[in-house]
Amino acid sequence: GCGDGTLALEIKKCGTKVIAIDLSESMAKKAREKGIEAYVMSAIELPYEKEFNAVFFNPSKANGFKV
């Protein structure tokens, strides 16, 4: 997920529109506090279809990914 939005903010600073997601309401809230459009949802259940030019996914060990 987007976590507290730190990385999403850096991407946004490049002039891109950023939509971020996280399973944690508290993390999505922290991202929103940084000006990021953030939602609580699962990456495997996204309600989007062919709406983005690029998608960035940052897996973490905390979320059960083996990196």
Side-chain angles (χ1 to χ4, degrees):
C2 65
D4 68 0
T6 299
L7 183 56
L9 181 58
E10 292 304 312
I11 295 170
K12 183 178 177 179
K13 286 178 184 177
C14 293
T16 61
K17 178 177 177 168
V18 173
I19 297 175
I21 64 168
D22 201 288
L23 287 175
S24 166
E25 174 61 43
S26 64
M27 289 291 105
K29 180 180 177 186
K30 287 181 181 185
R32 288 191 295 271
E33 289 170 353
K34 293 180 178 177
I36 302 298
E37 183 180 343
Y39 301 96
V40 177
M41 67 176 69
S42 169
I44 60 173
E45 298 173 351
L46 297 176
Y48 306 104
E49 187 173 320
K50 299 180 182 180
E51 296 179 45
F52 301 101
N53 293 324
V55 175
F56 178 81
F57 177 68
N58 189 17
S60 87
K61 290 181 182 178
N63 291 326
F65 291 97
K66 295 179 182 179
V67 291

